[in-house]
């Protein structure tokens, strides 16, 4: 009997114990984490900051970076990270998103539990609204001479409505503005074998572009080629949504085009430009040139498709298809590589594919309210912005990943160029983890000795990293770089309008979501319809789209654009 | 309700002492309490657990009536009454989303029940143990694949490109002339989802029925056999009635979850072309609630779902009670 009772008691105790253990789990975990990392340095470093003796006690911070999807890693496992740790004692646990960024950030906000450092990408408005970033003004003032040097000219634009700076963007140009020699943004891509077969014709209009693809496809019926493909998956809908804007001669301003003179915005999804674009796609679809599964493919399927080398053309942003193009380059068959072209609707339109010089002020990296030691972090940031570290982060190590000639010009040997194309090497050295999403010079910057800041912008490197085929095709078109084929960008002080942040859950944001839903519903219908039904469906689409508050969205954008222009040109605080 | 569940448990030990006059009211309560102190004591942690994890979070429902901002404290929030609900119910998309949710739920429920019960009966009739085990293992397997992987398998199988096996087979058999873009045609989505769910979970769902069948007294089968019942009649007159309580309980429980049609398959296989049919309440909430940082809307939708589920659950239970069948409580 006694034994039974004891057993019962024991059981009960066990249960209670396991319960309390569960309940306390979160807490004790936290305590461990904070005690494992010497957080008491805050005050120590405060007092020591002005002396020469820098605090280098090893410390590990967490950094969630929503800008890229690469494997998680400890920063000191990379060569660059190791060097930076030697300088500062700071190591970062780098974490990257899996799946939808907005949801992930939403959960962070709901729990109030942030990493020490956060680059929230598109979700930055939510983070700002949740006041999850700490203001950096005083920290920069006290510990950030290099931050001041790099970002000083842009402080005006970096300030939020309350006058505080909460995060550091990635596009502050230092030195002279040096445009990239290759196309990193949107363009109509066409496979080089198509151009080759017809003697490298100069094509400018959409009709010419598709005629060429059609001619090639007709001549190679048996090869199972895809004439033209696009992607509409998750947020990656630009391949089909954005083309009309570029075709009409505007740079990427997102959902709207902005008039150069009046600065008035216009939603182009219900314009003739969109109609003409979709009508053209409808036409080529009926000729069997369009890849029907464009509307159901996910991103992986799309990349696989482009990588296959059987796609003759597509419109997209280079960074979105970069992986696929790299895969094609690896095959060594230049004919399968792609050529970016500035295609427009008609001969007289001036293309504006290249980005004007602009400061993207709605992406950046900030320190969160959960950060254990903001001072150490801001010092780390400042240290990163020293020119020698910026060189290391972009160029790597002299004699290993880059060379310097006797005139002091940086260059890469062919082997080094080859090594740079290898993801594993880039991860090992740390380029993957450090050359973006940290406080940094904008990629169009130049170093104080005249070298380009970004490796690929260095003319010597660009020339050397062009393949045989690149050089050949550039020669055929009589240009030295790919960007020379494109018109020089006009100055647009508000640019890019897509980076202007719109208030969370505001009617404008709901409009964006709703218009996306309507477009996603009707665009496939329009493209895949029988040609004689196109106009009827277009009218139906216009009716549906017209139910949305287009005017309201445009006037919100007008206000925001005006505010941005004022800010950039120095008209406002 | 309490009385009914407590009475038999309390009654059994009390019965052997007929001379002892039954205490009434509070006295009886405390007497019982004392008698069952071990049980009560053991249940305390669980009551605490339920209270902490299931009741305290209900406090969070208040944000459905606010213009919730995560960084502000409870008292700084702006109270907006029912406006979140108004947005939810007045949105054009809501009706469509509800239709999809209910349709997919019903398809899932009916298909799920019918296929699982059928498979369980068929398996039960099998006499070759090896084959039975083989079929069971095969049919369980998809349950352990995550939806992310499953959705990729399904969309690849359905694709119109070279590797879409469904189109290949159908074209090869001359059932269709050219490949069909299955995921691009809205009305097909419900069917695709239904079949996918069956493929994924039919084996798993049979387990409970197979377990229930082992509880059926074998002498009933023997008696039926002596009475001349053939195999089909034995299934109809013995197995199915034996399963009835389990089926009804599961039906009631599933009715309570009817608005939970899941999120992953719809999200992963949905696209612009089938959104009209694939978008369910969860995706709507994700788009207009969580993604836009409007947690209040998400909560309002969650509340709405809970209330509907609650009503369904209780009415199904009451119906079962009225019909004199097994019920949940």
């Amino acid at each position: 009997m006694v034994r039974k009772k004891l057993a019962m008691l024991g059981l009960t105790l066990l249960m209670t114990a396991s319960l309390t253990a569960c309940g306390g789990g979160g807490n004790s975990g936290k305590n461990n984490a904070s005690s494992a990392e010497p957080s008491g340095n805050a005050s120590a470093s405060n007092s020591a900051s002005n002396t020469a003796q820098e605090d280098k006690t090893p410390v590990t911070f967490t950094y969630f970076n929503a800008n890229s999807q690469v494997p998680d890693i400890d920063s000191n496992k990379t060569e660059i990270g190791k060097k930076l740790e030697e300088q500062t004692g700071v190591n970062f646990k780098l974490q990257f998103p899996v799946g939808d960024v907005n949801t992930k950030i939403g959960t962070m906000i709901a729990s109030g539990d942030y990493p020490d450092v956060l680059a929230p990408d598109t979700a930055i408005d939510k983070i700002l609204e949740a006041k999850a970033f700490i203001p950096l003004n005083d920290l920069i003032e006290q510990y950030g001479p290099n931050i001041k040097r790099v970002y000083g000219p842009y402080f005006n634009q970096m300030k939020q409505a309350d006058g505080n700076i909460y995060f550091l963007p990635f596009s502050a140009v230092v030195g002279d503005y040096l445009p990239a020699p290759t196309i990193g943004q949107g363009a109509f891509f066409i496979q080089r074998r198509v151009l080759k077969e017809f003697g490298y014709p100069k094509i400018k209009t959409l009709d010419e572009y598709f005629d060429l693809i059609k001619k090639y496809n007709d001549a190679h019926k048996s090869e199972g080629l895809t004439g033209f493909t696009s992607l509409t998956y998750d947020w990656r809908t630009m391949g089909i949504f954005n083309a009309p804007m570029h075709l009409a001669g505007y740079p990427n301003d997102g959902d709207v085009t902005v008039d150069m003179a009046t600065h008035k915005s216009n939603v182009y999804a219900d314009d003739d430009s969109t109609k003409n674009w979709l009508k053209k796609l409808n036409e080529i679809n009926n000729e069997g040139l369009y890849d029907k599964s464009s509307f159901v493919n996910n991103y992986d399927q799309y990349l696989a498709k482009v990588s296959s080398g059987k796609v003759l053309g597509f419109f997209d942003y280079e960074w979105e298809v970069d992986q696929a193009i790299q895969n094609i380059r690896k095959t060594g068959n230049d004919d399968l590589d792609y050529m970016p072209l500035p295609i427009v609707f008609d001969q007289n339109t001036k293309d504006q594919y290249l980005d004007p010089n602009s400061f993207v002020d709605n992406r950046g990296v900030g320190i969160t309210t959960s950060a254990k030691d903001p001072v150490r972090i801001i010092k780390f940031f400042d240290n990163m912005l020293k020119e020698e570290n910026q060189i290391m982060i972009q160029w790597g190590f002299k004699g290993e990943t880059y060379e310097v000639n006797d005139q002091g010009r940086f260059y890469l040997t062919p082997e080094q160029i080859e090594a740079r194309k290898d993801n594993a090497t880039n991860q090992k050295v740390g380029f993957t983890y450090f050359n973006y999403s940290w406080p940094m010079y904008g990629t169009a910057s130049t170093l104080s000795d005249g070298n380009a800041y970004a490796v690929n912008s260095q003319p010597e490197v660009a020339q050397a990293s062009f393949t045989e085929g690149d050089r050949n095709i550039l020669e055929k078109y009589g240009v030295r770089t790919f960007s020379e084929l494109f018109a020089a960008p006009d100055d647009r002080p508000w640019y890019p309008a897509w980076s202007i942040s719109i208030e969370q859950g505001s009617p404008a944001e709901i409009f964006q979501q709703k218009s996306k839903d309507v477009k996603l519903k009707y665009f496939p219908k329009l493209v895949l319809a029988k040609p004689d039904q196109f106009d009827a469906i277009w009218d139906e689409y216009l009716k549906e789209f017209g139910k949305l508050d287009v005017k309201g969205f445009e006037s919100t954008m007008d206000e925001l654009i005006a505010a941005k222009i004022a800010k950039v040109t120095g008209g406002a605080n | 309700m309490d009385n009914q569940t407590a009475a038999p448990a309390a009654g059994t030990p009390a019965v052997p002492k007929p001379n002892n006059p039954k205490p009434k009211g509070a006295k009886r309560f405390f007497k019982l309490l004392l008698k069952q102190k071990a049980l009560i004591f053991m249940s305390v942690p669980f009551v605490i657990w339920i209270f902490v994890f299931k009741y305290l979070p209900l406090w969070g429902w208040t944000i459905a009536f606010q213009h919730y901002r995560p960084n502000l404290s409870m008292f700084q929030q702006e109270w907006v009454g029912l406006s979140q609900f108004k947005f939810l119910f007045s949105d054009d998309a809501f009706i469509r989303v509800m239709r999809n949710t209910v349709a997919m739920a019903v398809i899932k429920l009916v298909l799920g029940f019918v296929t699982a019960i059928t498979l369980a009966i068929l398996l039960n009739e099998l006499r070759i143990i090896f084959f039975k085990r083989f079929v069971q293992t095969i049919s369980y397997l998809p349950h352990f694949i995550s939806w992310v992987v499953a959705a990729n398998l399904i969309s690849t199988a359905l694709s119109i490109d070279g590797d879409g096996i469904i189109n290949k087979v159908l074209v090869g058999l001359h059932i269709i002339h050219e490949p069909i873009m299955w995921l691009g045609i809205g009305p097909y989505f419900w069917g695709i989802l239904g079949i996918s769910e069956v493929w994924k979970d039919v084996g798993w769902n049979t387990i409970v029925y197979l377990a229930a069948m082992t509880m059926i007294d074998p002498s009933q089968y023997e008696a039926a056999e002596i009475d001349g019942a053939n195999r089909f009649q034995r299934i109809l007159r013995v197995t199915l009635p034996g399963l009835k309580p389990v089926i009804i309980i599961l039906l009631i429980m599933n009715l309570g979850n009817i608005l939970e049609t899941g999120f992953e398959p719809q999200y992963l296989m949905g696209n612009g072309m089938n959104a009209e049919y694939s978008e369910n309440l969860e995706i709507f909430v994700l788009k207009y609630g969580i993604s836009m940082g409007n947690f209040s809307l998400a909560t309002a939708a969650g509340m709405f779902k809970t209330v509907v589920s609650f009503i369904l659950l209780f009415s199904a239970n009451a119906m079962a009670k009225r019909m004199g069948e097994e019920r949940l409580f």
Side-chain angles (χ1 to χ4, degrees), chain A residues 291-352:
Chain A
D291 176 20
K292 286 187 176 57
S293 45
S294 295
F295 295 110
V296 292
N297 277 349
N298 62 32
Y299 186 47
D300 291 334
Q301 286 168 318
Y302 172 76
L303 286 181
K305 194 150 226 168
V306 176
S307 302
S308 75
K310 295 208 161 203
V311 179
L312 299 179
F314 56 87
F315 166 81
D316 212 333
Y317 292 84
E318 200 276 340
W319 46 265
E320 190 158 274
V321 282
D322 188 44
Q323 288 179 50
I325 292 182
Q326 292 305 334
N327 284 339
I328 287 179
R329 297 233 165 105
K330 271 190 207 134
T331 66
N333 185 351
D334 184 66
D335 283 349
L336 300 184
D337 203 342
Y338 290 90
M339 175 77 177
L341 293 175
I343 299 294
V344 285
F345 276 127
D346 62 86
Q347 285 295 347
N348 307 323
T349 313
K350 182 169 92 169
D351 74 82
Q352 287 289 291

Side-chain angles (χ1 to χ4, degrees), chain B:
Chain B
M1 219 163 64
D2 245 349
N3 267 342
Q4 283 167 347
T5 41
T12 12
V15 172
K17 294 175 189 168
N19 287 341
N20 199 359
K22 269 192 182 171
K24 296 259 181 247
K27 206 172 167 195
R28 176 169 175 268
F29 175 77
F30 282 111
K31 200 155 185 185
L32 277 173
L33 197 68
L34 199 68
K35 194 174 268 168
Q36 298 170 6
K37 57 183 179 298
L39 284 173
I40 302 277
F41 195 48
M42 278 170 69
S43 64
V44 164
F46 297 100
V47 173
I48 294 173
W49 180 82
I50 286 184
F51 185 75
V52 170
F53 289 101
K54 301 284 170 184
Y55 283 88
L56 281 186
L58 287 184
W59 171 248
W61 274 12
T62 50
I63 72 175
F65 305 100
Q66 303 166 347
H67 184 66
Y68 180 70
R69 288 286 162 253
N71 51 315
L72 301 179
S73 84
M74 172 75 201
F75 300 101
Q76 293 166 298
Q77 299 291 351
E78 179 193 342
W79 293 84
V80 294
L82 293 175
S83 83
Q84 302 292 356
F85 290 91
K86 263 185 212 143
F87 175 83
L88 192 65
F89 297 132
S90 64
D91 197 277
D92 288 343
F94 184 74
I95 297 170
R96 178 167 55 87
V97 163
M98 271 318 289
R99 177 199 68 173
N100 293 343
T101 308
V102 171
M104 285 191 267
V106 170
I107 289 171
K108 205 171 127 179
L109 192 71
V110 173
L111 264 186
F113 263 85
V114 173
T115 54
I117 293 169
T118 315
L119 183 66
I121 288 172
L122 293 177
L123 282 175
N124 194 46
E125 296 296 316
L126 276 179
R127 289 294 165 254
I128 308 166
I129 295 298
F130 168 76
F131 188 65
K132 184 175 168 182
R133 293 268 171 273
F134 181 73
V135 171
Q136 270 187 294
T137 313
I138 296 283
S139 59
Y140 288 177
L141 277 180
H143 176 78
F144 300 102
I145 304 177
S146 88
W147 263 117
V148 178
V149 177
N152 259 323
L153 288 177
I154 294 164
S155 58
T156 307
L158 294 174
S159 95
I160 56 171
D161 293 332
D163 39 5
I165 186 153
I166 305 278
N167 279 316
K168 246 183 191 169
V169 169
L170 291 179
V171 171
L173 293 174
H174 298 288
I175 295 172
I176 53 175
H177 296 300
E178 56 180 43
I180 296 176
M181 194 158 40
W182 297 97
L183 284 174
I185 300 171
Y188 290 175
F189 189 84
W190 293 351
I192 293 169
L193 182 83
I195 294 167
S196 310
E197 295 266 9
V198 167
W199 163 71
K200 210 164 172 306
D201 275 333
V202 67
W204 188 254
N205 291 340
T206 55
I207 296 177
V208 63
Y209 298 111
L210 284 171
M213 282 176 203
T214 59
M215 306 296 283
I216 299 171
D217 190 351
S219 62
Q220 288 190 33
Y221 286 105
E222 284 158 23
E225 214 170 337
I226 291 167
D227 289 345
N230 61 23
R231 215 166 217 214
F232 183 69
Q233 284 167 326
R234 288 201 300 268
I235 292 174
L236 208 64
R237 309 277 175 216
V238 183
T239 314
L240 276 179
L243 283 182
K244 202 165 104 183
V246 180
I247 295 176
I248 289 173
I249 290 282
L250 283 179
L251 197 64
I252 295 173
M253 281 166 63
N254 283 337
L255 271 175
N257 286 333
I258 197 155
L259 290 188
E260 312 273 346
T261 41
F263 159 76
E264 288 155 302
Q266 287 88 346
Y267 185 74
L268 293 165
M269 295 196 286
N271 57 49
M273 296 174 78
N274 61 26
E276 193 82 344
Y277 292 86
S278 66
E279 204 175 272
N280 64 3
L281 195 57
E282 321 259 334
I283 294 178
F284 181 79
V285 167
L286 179 81
K287 270 189 183 167
Y288 290 94
I290 316 240
S291 285
M292 289 194 186
N294 190 349
F295 299 104
S296 298
L297 182 72
T299 315
M303 259 178 91
F304 165 74
K305 240 163 59 174
T306 308
V307 170
V308 173
S309 304
F310 192 79
I311 293 169
L312 281 173
L313 182 71
F314 272 77
S315 38
N317 196 57
M319 206 120 84
K321 185 177 179 181
R322 189 157 298 173
M323 294 184 340
E325 299 289 356
E326 287 289 328
R327 60 205 145 84
L328 204 52
F329 45 80

